[in-house]
C-alpha cells in the first residue's frame, strides 16, 4: 500500500515537471468527460432501435385483419416517393448520422411560405418505392412485395420491405407522394381504391411496365455499387458536406450532392423516364424539400417531371407528433 502511494506521488511529480504531458492529460480527460453524454445517447439510440426491430419482427399478424400501415402500403405503387421528417435524436447509426440529419433540417429545410404542398414538417430524408426482390409468380402485383430504396448511414443504399420500413420508422411524420404517369387516373386519396388496371390504355400499361423494369435495373445496380464501394461509410459525411456547401452557396462548384437521399430518388425517377434530366448536376443539387413543390408551377426549388407525369396530393402515412 505504501509502495503504491509512493508510485502515485512520483507520477504526479513527474507530470508537474512536464507541462506538455500535463496539458495532454488534461485535454484527454476533458474530451473523455465531454464524450460521455454522446456515448450514452448513442447506446440508448441503438438499444431503442434494437428493441423496435424485435417488436416489429415478433408482432402477431392476424389473418384478414389489416392495420393502417397495411392499408397504406397496399395503395402504393413503384415510383411513389416517401418523405421523412426524422428525429435526429433517434439516429442509431452514430453521431455523424445524427449531425447530418440535424444540419439537413437546419440548413436545407425552408420556412413554410405557402408554396409547399405539405403544410407542416421539415423533410430531409426520402426514398423511392421500387418492386421487391421476390421472383415468385404474382409477386410483381403483390403490395407486400414493394420495397423502399433509400440511402442510409448505417447500411448504405438499402432496399427494405415498405411495410417493415414504415413500422420501424421513428419519424415525426411520413408523407407519401403518389406518382401518376400519363393516362393513369389514380385516386387522390390512397385510402380509397385505385382505378382498375384493366381500364388503362395499352400506352399507359407500356409506360408502367417500362418504369417498373427500369426501377428494377436501377435498384440492382445501386445496391451492388453501394456494397462494392462501401457507401455506408460515406453517407453521413456526404450529408454534412452537402449541407455546408449549400449554406455557403458553393454547391454548384463541387460534384457533391446537396442531399444524398434526394440525389438517389431523383436519379431513379430520371432513369425510369418520369423526371426531366435538364443537366448532369440537377439530381445532385436537389433537396428533399424540393419534392414538396409542384414542378409545373415552380421552376426553381422543385423536381421537374416529364410532360404527363405528376405527383398527386401528398398523403400522411404516419404522423406521431407535431412538435
Amino acid at each position: 500500500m505504501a509502495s503504491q502511494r509512493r508510485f502515485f506521488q512520483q507520477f504526479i511529480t513527474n507530470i508537474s515537471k512536464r507541462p506538455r504531458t500535463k496539458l495532454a492529460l488534461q485535454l484527454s480527460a476533458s474530451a473523455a468527460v465531454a464524450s460521455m453524454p454522446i456515448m450514452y445517447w448513442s447506446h440508448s439510440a441503438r438499444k431503442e432501435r434494437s428493441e423496435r426491430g424485435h417488436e416489429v419482427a415478433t408482432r402477431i399478424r392476424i389473418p384478414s385483419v389489416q392495420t393502417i400501415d397495411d392499408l397504406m402500403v397496399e395503395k402504393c405503387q413503384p415510383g411513389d416517393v416517401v418523405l421523412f421528417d426524422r428525429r435526429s435524436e433517434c439516429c442509431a447509426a452514430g453521431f455523424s448520422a445524427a449531425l447530418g440529419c440535424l444540419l439537413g433540417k437546419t440548413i436545407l429545410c425552408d420556412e413554410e411560405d405557402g408554396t409547399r404542398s405539405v403544410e407542416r414538417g421539415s423533410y430531409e430524408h426520402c426514398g423511392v418505392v421500387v418492386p421487391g426482390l421476390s421472383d415468385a409468380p404474382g409477386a410483381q402485383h403483390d403490395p407486400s412485395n414493394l420495397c423502399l430504396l433509400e440511402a442510409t448511414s448505417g447500411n448504405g443504399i438499402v432496399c427494405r420491405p415498405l411495410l417493415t420500413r414504415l413500422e420501424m420508422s421513428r419519424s415525426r411524420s411520413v408523407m407519401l407522394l403518389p406518382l401518376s404517369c400519363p393516362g393513369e387516373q389514380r385516386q387522390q386519396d390512397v385510402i380509397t381504391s385505385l382505378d382498375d388496371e384493366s381500364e388503362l390504355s395499352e400506352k399507359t400499361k407500356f409506360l408502367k411496365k417500362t418504369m417498373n423494369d427500369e426501377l428494377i435495373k436501377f435498384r440492382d445496380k445501386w445496391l451492388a455499387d453501394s456494397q462494392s464501394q462501401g457507401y455506408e461509410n460515406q453517407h453521413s459525411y456526404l450529408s454534412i458536406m452537402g449541407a455546408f456547401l449549400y449554406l455557403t452557396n458553393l454547391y454548384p462548384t463541387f460534384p457533391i450532392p446537396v442531399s444524398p437521399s434526394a440525389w438517389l430518388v431523383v436519379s431513379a425517377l430520371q432513369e425510369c423516364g418520369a423526371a426531366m434530366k435538364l443537366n448532369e448536376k440537377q439530381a445532385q443539387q436537389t433537396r428533399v424539400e424540393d419534392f414538396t413543390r409542384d414542378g409545373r408551377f415552380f421552376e426553381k426549388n422543385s423536381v421537374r417531371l416529364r410532360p404527363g407525369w405528376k405527383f398527386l396530393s401528398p398523403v400522411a402515412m404516419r404522423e406521431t407528433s407535431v412538435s
Side-chain angles (χ1 to χ4, degrees), residues 13-24:
T13 302
N14 292 337
I15 290 178
S16 62
K17 293 179 179 179
R18 299 179 180 180
R20 293 184 178 180
T21 303
K22 182 179 180 180
L23 178 60

Side-chain angles (χ1 to χ4, degrees), residues 51-312:
E51 292 175 349
R52 182 76 172 180
H54 178 73
E55 176 191 348
V56 171
T58 58
R59 183 172 296 173
I60 298 177
R61 311 283 182 178
I62 302 177
S64 303
V65 176
Q66 291 182 307
T67 64
I68 295 297
D69 291 338
D70 292 323
L71 294 174
M72 288 294 182
V73 171
E74 193 175 76
K75 308 309 176 185
C76 293
Q77 294 184 10
D80 293 348
V81 176
V82 183
L83 310 181
F84 295 87
D85 179 8
R86 299 188 298 175
R87 304 175 190 266
S88 57
E89 66 273 14
C90 293
C91 291
F95 175 74
S96 59
L99 180 60
C101 175
L102 184 60
L103 290 176
K105 286 181 172 296
T106 305
I107 298 174
L108 301 181
C109 296
D110 297 329
E111 296 285 342
E112 174 55 40
D113 56 0
T115 63
R116 302 194 317 169
S117 58
V118 181
E119 296 181 359
R120 183 186 294 113
S122 298
Y123 298 93
E124 43 70 46
H125 182 72
C126 61
V128 60
V129 179
V130 296
L133 301 174
S134 175
D135 295 329
Q140 183 177 359
H141 303 284
D142 186 3
S144 63
N145 188 45
L146 292 177
C147 291
L148 189 71
L149 185 70
E150 56 183 333
T152 67
S153 297
N155 302 298
I157 296 176
V158 296
C159 181
R160 292 177 284 196
L162 182 57
L163 178 60
T164 301
R165 179 65 178 88
L166 187 60
E167 292 177 335
M168 285 288 296
S169 176
R170 303 294 291 170
S171 301
R172 288 186 176 87
S173 58
V174 181
M175 302 296 295
L176 172 69
L177 295 180
L179 179 67
S180 177
C181 71
E184 184 181 17
Q185 302 295 326
R186 291 185 67 177
Q187 296 289 340
Q188 292 284 340
D189 188 356
V190 297
I191 297 297
T192 60
S193 60
L194 302 178
D195 288 351
D196 189 355
E197 189 173 350
S198 61
E199 298 178 0
L200 300 177
S201 65
E202 292 299 323
K203 181 179 180 180
T204 302
K205 291 180 180 179
F206 175 78
L207 284 175
K208 291 181 69 66
K209 183 180 184 304
T210 302
M211 179 181 65
N212 286 356
D213 293 342
E214 292 300 325
L215 285 176
I216 291 175
K217 294 178 183 177
F218 183 88
R219 176 201 69 196
D220 295 341
K221 174 182 180 299
W222 282 85
L223 288 177
D225 289 347
S226 173
Q227 186 174 6
S228 62
Q229 298 179 13
Y231 179 78
E232 67 274 8
N233 300 320
Q234 307 172 26
H235 178 83
S236 297
Y237 301 106
L238 286 175
S239 300
I240 295 172
M241 293 174 62
F244 276 118
L245 288 175
Y246 185 84
L247 178 65
T248 57
N249 204 32
L250 294 175
Y251 63 95
T253 309
F254 296 88
I256 296 177
V258 171
S259 170
S261 62
W263 168 54
L264 178 69
V265 173
V266 173
S267 298
L269 295 179
Q270 290 176 340
E271 196 70 22
C272 71
M276 298 178 66
K277 192 173 183 179
L278 302 178
N279 54 66
E280 294 296 332
K281 292 187 176 181
Q282 180 187 9
Q284 293 181 357
Q285 298 176 2
T286 301
R287 303 171 302 159
V288 178
E289 283 274 312
D290 296 343
F291 284 98
T292 64
R293 294 180 179 85
D294 196 330
R296 296 173 296 176
F297 307 110
F298 300 96
E299 293 186 3
K300 296 183 179 180
N301 298 328
S302 64
V303 176
R304 305 281 301 277
L305 300 180
R306 295 173 64 88
W309 296 82
K310 61 182 178 180
F311 286 120
L312 303 181

